[in-house]
Amino acid sequence: MKIVDLRIHPVAVSRQYATLTSGGQEGRKNPDAAPVELSYFYILEVETDVGIVGIGEISDIDPGSRMLDGSPMDLENVSAKLRSLLVGRDPSDMERLTLEVRTGGLVDCAIDTACYDIMGKSYGTSATSLAGGHLRKSVWVSWVAYIREPEAMVPEIQEKLAQGFNAFKFKVGRDIDLDEARIKLFREIGGDDLNLKLDANAAWDVDEAISFMRRLEKYNISGVETPIDKENVTGMARVRKAVDTPILEHVSTQEYALELVRHEAVDVFNVSTVGCGGIYRAKKVIAIAEAAGLNALLGSTVELGVGTAAQLALASSSWRVDWPSDLIGPLMYTDDVLNEPWEWDNGYLRVPTGPGLGVTLDPAKLESLRHTLPTSR
Ligand SMILES: [Mg+2]
């Protein structure tokens, strides 16, 4: 089987509300940072010589961002690059494909997703089965609440509790007093037993991280993600030794995974298809968490339906992914490109079982959501 052509559909979808993170230490100094209202995607269709078409998703593209070789993410360039890299290749040749094709995590992920979809359809089985099997029928999801005034957050939390969510993640890091007020209010609404992670998006330095995490310990925080700059691995190890709260970090390569393990810097790997460049590469990173006796969860750049299906194949087939994952795309976006509705089981997202990814594109949605990627945000 060979890849013979591909098509890319540029789409944009609004978020339920304009979302704001800390923006790191730099972002913290900018109180007027613009929240994200609209997210941009390239939906990829990869055609083979046997008539099977596989789908993938370049998720939540930041306008102005570039591919790994420095070239722009405009439609013409990405289409030409992918055509030159993929046409003539066997989509099941994954080890070779991941060694030879490196275009940046988001684009690599779309390629990997389309290949799993093609392989599944070709073999008459699900991408999840190919990734290791349907170990779980549904995946535990933590609702991600972005930085807002506490009062604005109340209906959001109440709605998610009513939908059955028992795990949450709060974006924090712009203002510790505001963070504490939000967490305190959350505990008043939902009680002390709900699973609550925090994600500071690298807003703090080592001393701030230690002092802020100690200050928040009384709220029964299950873990804090990216308290400091993730490149400062020795600093992260210092924070971890000084606090009782587990440390979570995004891990997208095997090399970085090993560095974290060597320095005993984290408790939980945050792994994702989008971060690692697809299911195949992400599996190798999760295997390091497994070997090191660490936990894992799936992070997210907030994917649309195709990307979410790939994440579910990874999560449901990996036993070490035992922490709540951040797969909120199906509820955070106001629309999707799929024919099939998502099914939830009390805060658990059901894993599709059909051939390939188990989801199909709605051509009318690709048309109505069509949107050119702007050159800057
Ligand atoms: Mg994060």
Side-chain angles (χ1 to χ4, degrees):
M1 184 167 46
K2 293 270 182 282
I3 294 170
V4 292
D5 200 8
L6 57 90
R7 283 180 296 281
I8 297 180
H9 307 274
V11 300
V13 185
S14 298
R15 296 186 171 206
Q16 292 288 352
Y17 62 91
T19 60
L20 185 67
T21 66
S22 74
Q25 291 198 21
E26 281 308 303
R28 237 172 99 192
K29 293 177 201 144
N30 176 13
D32 301 322
V36 177
E37 291 178 62
L38 190 65
S39 288
Y40 303 92
F41 305 83
Y42 286 159
I43 305 298
L44 178 64
E45 287 189 284
V46 176
E47 254 179 66
T48 62
D49 58 354
V50 295
I52 295 173
V53 177
I55 56 178
E57 173 186 306
I58 306 177
S59 307
D60 198 7
I61 308 166
D62 205 14
S65 66
R66 295 186 168 260
M67 293 178 76
L68 199 59
D69 65 2
S71 62
M73 288 285 282
D74 63 73
L75 188 58
E76 204 177 317
N77 181 51
V78 176
S79 302
K81 279 264 147 61
L82 290 190
R83 215 169 257 121
S84 75
L85 289 167
L86 298 180
V87 169
R89 283 188 183 270
D90 178 345
S92 67
D93 205 7
M94 290 303 287
E95 185 79 0
R96 188 187 312 278
L97 200 69
T98 51
L99 284 170
E100 294 178 358
V101 176
R102 284 178 189 272
T103 59
L106 291 179
V107 184
D108 289 343
C109 174
I111 297 169
D112 168 284
T113 302
C115 289
Y116 270 92
D117 193 34
I118 291 168
M119 285 190 282
K121 286 168 175 166
S122 167
Y123 306 150
T125 192
S126 66
T128 301
S129 292
L130 293 174
H134 290 258
L135 188 63
R136 302 182 184 92
K137 286 188 167 52
S138 56
V139 171
W140 190 17
V141 174
S142 44
W143 180 255
V144 182
Y146 289 80
I147 297 175
R148 297 201 275 179
E149 289 304 314
E151 309 77 55
M153 214 184 60
V154 174
E156 178 184 13
I157 300 304
Q158 285 170 337
E159 180 188 76
K160 295 307 156 202
L161 287 174
Q163 289 170 356
F165 281 86
N166 66 4
F168 290 77
K169 166 164 141 176
F170 279 18
K171 293 287 190 180
V172 297
R174 282 192 174 267
D175 174 345
I176 186 63
D177 294 328
L178 172 67
D179 294 338
E180 183 168 6
R182 290 165 65 216
I183 294 163
K184 189 165 176 286
L185 186 59
F186 172 77
R187 287 300 184 205
E188 284 165 12
I189 297 170
D192 290 333
D193 295 335
L194 296 170
N195 184 302
L196 178 62
K197 301 177 288 184
L198 307 181
D199 185 356
N201 287 93
W204 304 325
D205 62 29
V206 170
D207 293 337
E208 285 174 327
I210 293 169
S211 122
F212 293 164
M213 285 173 69
R214 281 200 181 131
R215 173 171 163 181
L216 299 175
E217 262 164 11
K218 61 177 177 284
Y219 297 103
N220 188 26
I221 307 298
S222 66
V224 175
E225 186 172 300
T226 320
I228 64 167
D229 175 9
K230 67 177 281 189
E231 298 309 321
N232 184 1
V233 174
T234 52
M236 213 185 302
R238 272 170 54 209
V239 175
R240 180 167 179 256
K241 277 201 181 67
V243 299
D244 293 329
T245 309
I247 307 284
L248 289 50
E249 189 50 81
H250 292 267
V251 190
S252 54
T253 66
Q254 291 166 287
E255 292 78 6
Y256 183 63
L258 282 177
E259 204 186 338
L260 292 177
V261 170
R262 269 193 217 109
H263 287 89
E264 299 184 359
V266 300
D267 299 276
V268 183
F269 279 16
N270 171 326
V271 182
S272 66
T273 54
V274 281
C276 296
I279 296 167
Y280 192 82
R281 290 182 177 97
K283 279 275 176 181
K284 294 185 179 185
V285 174
I286 292 172
I288 295 175
E290 200 173 314
L294 302 176
N295 299 90
L297 62 88
L298 284 210
S300 165
T301 187
V302 194
E303 296 79 32
L304 215 50
V306 181
T308 298
Q311 293 260 48
L312 287 173
L314 175 64
S316 61
S317 64
S318 304
W319 77 270
R320 191 67 281 186
V321 178
D322 48 6
W323 272 51
S325 293
D326 305 334
L327 307 183
I328 63 164
L331 291 173
M332 178 49 89
Y333 290 118
T334 54
D335 212 338
D336 208 333
V337 293
L338 302 181
N339 287 309
E340 302 79 9
W342 289 106
E343 291 175 31
W344 291 84
D345 258 343
N346 275 328
Y348 284 67
L349 185 54
R350 289 256 194 99
V351 180
T353 54
L357 295 173
V359 296
T360 55
L361 295 176
D362 179 346
K365 282 294 168 79
L366 291 176
E367 202 44 51
S368 66
L369 298 172
R370 190 173 178 86
H371 199 299
T372 304
L373 180 73
T375 50
S376 64
R377 200 175 275 286

